[in-house]
Coordinates of all heavy atoms in Angstrom, one line a residue:
D16 N -82.0 128.7 -12.6 CA -81.9 128.2 -14.0 C -80.8 128.8 -14.7 O -80.2 128.1 -15.6 CB -83.3 128.6 -14.7 CG -84.5 127.8 -14.2 OD1 -84.3 126.7 -13.6 OD2 -85.6 128.3 -14.4
K17 N -80.4 130.1 -14.5 CA -79.3 130.7 -15.1 C -78.0 130.3 -14.7 O -77.0 130.1 -15.5 CB -79.5 132.2 -14.9 CG -78.4 133.0 -15.6 CD -78.7 134.5 -15.6 CE -77.6 135.3 -16.2 NZ -78.0 136.8 -16.2
Y18 N -77.9 130.0 -13.4 CA -76.5 129.6 -12.9 C -76.4 128.1 -12.4 O -75.2 127.8 -12.0 CB -76.2 130.5 -11.6 CG -75.9 132.1 -12.1 CD1 -77.0 132.9 -12.0 CD2 -74.8 132.5 -12.6 CE1 -76.9 134.2 -12.4 CE2 -74.7 133.7 -13.1 CZ -75.8 134.6 -13.0 OH -75.6 136.1 -13.2
H19 N -77.3 127.4 -12.5 CA -77.1 126.0 -12.0 C -76.0 125.2 -12.7 O -75.2 124.5 -12.1 CB -78.5 125.3 -12.2 CG -78.4 123.8 -11.6 ND1 -78.1 123.5 -10.4 CD2 -78.7 122.6 -12.3 CE1 -78.1 122.2 -10.3 NE2 -78.4 121.6 -11.4
A20 N -76.0 125.3 -14.0 CA -75.0 124.6 -14.7 C -73.6 125.2 -14.4 O -72.6 124.4 -14.6 CB -75.3 124.9 -16.2
A21 N -73.4 126.4 -13.8 CA -72.2 126.9 -13.5 C -71.7 126.6 -12.1 O -70.7 127.0 -11.7 CB -72.2 128.5 -13.6
G22 N -72.6 125.8 -11.4 CA -72.3 125.4 -10.0 C -73.1 126.0 -8.8 O -72.6 126.1 -7.8
F23 N -74.3 126.5 -9.2 CA -75.1 127.0 -8.1 C -76.2 126.0 -7.8 O -77.0 125.5 -8.5 CB -75.8 128.2 -8.7 CG -76.8 129.0 -7.7 CD1 -76.5 129.3 -6.4 CD2 -78.1 129.4 -8.0 CE1 -77.4 129.9 -5.6 CE2 -79.0 129.9 -7.3 CZ -78.6 130.2 -6.0
E24 N -76.4 125.8 -6.5 CA -77.3 124.8 -5.9 C -78.2 125.6 -4.8 O -77.7 126.6 -4.3 CB -76.6 123.6 -5.2 CG -75.7 122.9 -6.1 CD -76.4 122.0 -7.0 OE1 -77.8 122.0 -6.9 OE2 -75.9 121.4 -8.0
I25 N -79.4 125.1 -4.7 CA -80.3 125.6 -3.6 C -80.7 124.4 -2.8 O -81.1 123.4 -3.3 CB -81.5 126.4 -4.2 CG1 -81.2 127.4 -5.1 CG2 -82.5 126.7 -3.2 CD1 -82.3 128.1 -5.9
L26 N -80.8 124.7 -1.4 CA -81.3 123.7 -0.5 C -82.6 124.5 0.2 O -82.3 125.4 0.9 CB -80.3 123.3 0.6 CG -79.1 122.6 0.0 CD1 -78.1 122.3 1.1 CD2 -79.3 121.4 -0.8
G27 N -83.7 123.8 0.0 CA -84.9 124.5 0.7 C -85.1 123.9 2.0 O -85.1 122.7 2.2
I28 N -85.4 124.9 2.9 CA -85.8 124.5 4.3 C -87.3 125.0 4.4 O -87.5 126.3 4.7 CB -84.9 125.1 5.3 CG1 -83.3 124.9 5.0 CG2 -85.2 124.6 6.8 CD1 -83.0 123.4 5.0
S29 N -88.2 124.2 4.4 CA -89.5 124.5 4.4 C -90.2 124.6 5.7 O -90.1 123.6 6.5 CB -90.4 123.6 3.4 OG -91.8 123.8 3.6
L30 N -90.8 125.7 6.1 CA -91.3 125.7 7.5 C -92.8 125.5 7.4 O -93.7 126.0 8.1 CB -91.2 127.3 8.0 CG -89.9 127.5 8.8 CD1 -88.8 127.4 7.9 CD2 -89.8 128.8 9.5
D31 N -93.3 124.8 6.2 CA -94.6 124.3 6.2 C -95.0 123.4 7.2 O -94.1 122.6 7.7 CB -94.8 123.7 4.8 CG -95.1 124.8 3.6 OD1 -96.2 125.4 3.6 OD2 -94.1 125.0 2.9
D32 N -96.3 123.3 7.5 CA -96.8 122.2 8.3 C -97.9 121.3 7.6 O -98.5 120.5 8.2 CB -97.6 122.8 9.6 CG -98.7 123.8 9.2 OD1 -99.0 124.0 8.0 OD2 -99.1 124.6 10.1
N33 N -97.9 121.5 6.3 CA -98.9 120.7 5.5 C -98.0 120.1 4.3 O -97.6 120.8 3.3 CB -100.0 121.5 5.0 CG -101.0 120.6 4.2 OD1 -100.7 119.9 3.4 ND2 -102.2 120.7 4.6
K34 N -97.7 118.8 4.4 CA -96.9 118.2 3.5 C -97.5 118.1 2.0 O -96.8 118.4 1.0 CB -96.5 116.6 3.8 CG -95.6 115.9 2.9 CD -95.3 114.6 3.6 CE -94.3 113.8 2.7 NZ -94.1 112.4 3.2
D35 N -98.8 117.9 2.0 CA -99.4 117.7 0.6 C -99.4 119.1 0.1 O -99.2 119.2 -1.3 CB -100.8 117.3 0.9 CG -101.0 115.8 1.3 OD1 -100.0 115.1 1.0 OD2 -102.0 115.4 1.7
R36 N -99.6 120.2 0.8 CA -99.6 121.6 0.1 C -98.2 121.8 -0.4 O -98.0 122.4 -1.5 CB -99.9 122.6 1.2 CG -100.1 124.2 0.6 CD -100.4 125.0 1.7 NE -101.7 124.6 2.2 CZ -102.0 124.9 3.6 NH1 -101.0 125.2 4.4 NH2 -103.2 124.5 4.0
L37 N -97.1 121.5 0.5 CA -95.7 121.7 0.0 C -95.5 121.0 -1.3 O -95.0 121.5 -2.3 CB -94.8 121.3 1.1 CG -93.3 121.4 0.7 CD1 -92.9 122.7 0.2 CD2 -92.5 120.8 1.9
L38 N -95.8 119.6 -1.4 CA -95.5 118.8 -2.5 C -96.3 119.4 -3.7 O -95.7 119.4 -4.9 CB -96.0 117.4 -2.3 CG -95.1 116.6 -1.2 CD1 -95.7 115.2 -0.9 CD2 -93.7 116.4 -1.8
A39 N -97.5 119.7 -3.6 CA -98.2 120.4 -4.7 C -97.6 121.6 -5.2 O -97.6 121.8 -6.5 CB -99.8 120.6 -4.3
F40 N -97.2 122.5 -4.3 CA -96.6 123.8 -4.7 C -95.2 123.4 -5.6 O -95.1 124.0 -6.6 CB -96.3 124.6 -3.4 CG -95.7 125.9 -3.8 CD1 -96.6 127.1 -4.1 CD2 -94.4 126.1 -4.0 CE1 -96.1 128.3 -4.3 CE2 -93.9 127.4 -4.3 CZ -94.8 128.5 -4.5
V41 N -94.4 122.6 -4.9 CA -93.2 122.2 -5.6 C -93.4 121.6 -7.0 O -92.7 122.0 -7.9 CB -92.4 121.1 -4.7 CG1 -91.2 120.7 -5.6 CG2 -91.9 122.0 -3.5
K42 N -94.4 120.7 -7.1 CA -94.7 120.1 -8.3 C -95.2 121.2 -9.5 O -94.8 121.2 -10.5 CB -95.7 119.0 -8.2 CG -96.1 118.3 -9.6 CD -97.1 117.2 -9.3 CE -97.4 116.4 -10.5 NZ -98.3 115.3 -10.3
E43 N -96.2 121.9 -9.0 CA -96.8 123.0 -9.9 C -95.9 124.0 -10.2 O -95.9 124.6 -11.6 CB -98.0 123.6 -9.1 CG -98.7 124.7 -9.8 CD -99.8 125.4 -9.1 OE1 -100.1 124.8 -8.0 OE2 -100.4 126.3 -9.6
N44 N -94.9 124.2 -9.5 CA -93.9 125.4 -9.9 C -92.6 124.8 -10.4 O -91.6 125.6 -10.5 CB -93.7 126.4 -8.7 CG -95.0 127.2 -8.4 OD1 -95.2 128.2 -8.9 ND2 -95.7 126.7 -7.4
H45 N -92.5 123.5 -10.6 CA -91.3 122.8 -11.2 C -90.1 123.2 -10.3 O -89.0 123.5 -10.9 CB -91.2 123.4 -12.6 CG -92.4 123.1 -13.5 ND1 -92.8 121.9 -13.9 CD2 -93.3 124.1 -14.0 CE1 -94.0 122.0 -14.6 NE2 -94.3 123.3 -14.7
I46 N -90.2 123.0 -9.1 CA -89.0 123.3 -8.3 C -88.2 122.0 -8.0 O -88.8 121.1 -7.5 CB -89.5 123.9 -6.9 CG1 -90.1 125.2 -7.0 CG2 -88.2 123.9 -5.9 CD1 -90.8 125.8 -5.7
T47 N -87.1 121.9 -8.5 CA -86.2 120.6 -8.5 C -85.4 120.5 -7.5 O -84.9 119.4 -7.2 CB -85.7 120.5 -9.9 OG1 -84.7 121.6 -10.1 CG2 -86.6 120.5 -11.0
W48 N -85.0 121.6 -6.6 CA -83.9 121.4 -5.7 C -84.5 120.8 -4.4 O -85.8 120.9 -4.2 CB -83.3 122.7 -5.4 CG -84.2 123.8 -4.9 CD1 -84.7 124.1 -3.7 CD2 -84.7 124.8 -5.7 NE1 -85.5 125.3 -3.8 CE2 -85.5 125.6 -5.0 CE3 -84.6 125.1 -7.2 CZ2 -86.2 126.9 -5.5 CZ3 -85.3 126.4 -7.7 CH2 -86.1 127.2 -6.9
P49 N -83.7 120.1 -3.6 CA -84.2 119.3 -2.4 C -84.8 120.3 -1.3 O -84.4 121.3 -1.1 CB -83.0 118.6 -1.9 CG -81.8 119.4 -2.4 CD -82.2 120.0 -3.7

């Protein structure tokens, strides 16, 4: 949040095996990066 506007990006590589759990966590925690 602090550095994104300055050119900082994140790419998440999830080792999850449950898609629904990952999607719920991302939504609940407002994670916007891919």
Side-chain angles (χ1 to χ4, degrees):
D16 292 341
K17 184 174 180 178
Y18 291 99
H19 177 59
F23 177 52
E24 301 286 351
I25 300 178
L26 303 179
I28 309 299
S29 169
L30 275 67
D31 279 282
D32 54 8
N33 186 309
K34 183 177 182 179
D35 291 338
R36 184 182 301 143
L37 172 62
L38 290 173
F40 184 93
V41 167
K42 181 179 180 180
E43 181 181 348
N44 291 276
H45 308 288
I46 297 171
T47 59
W48 54 85

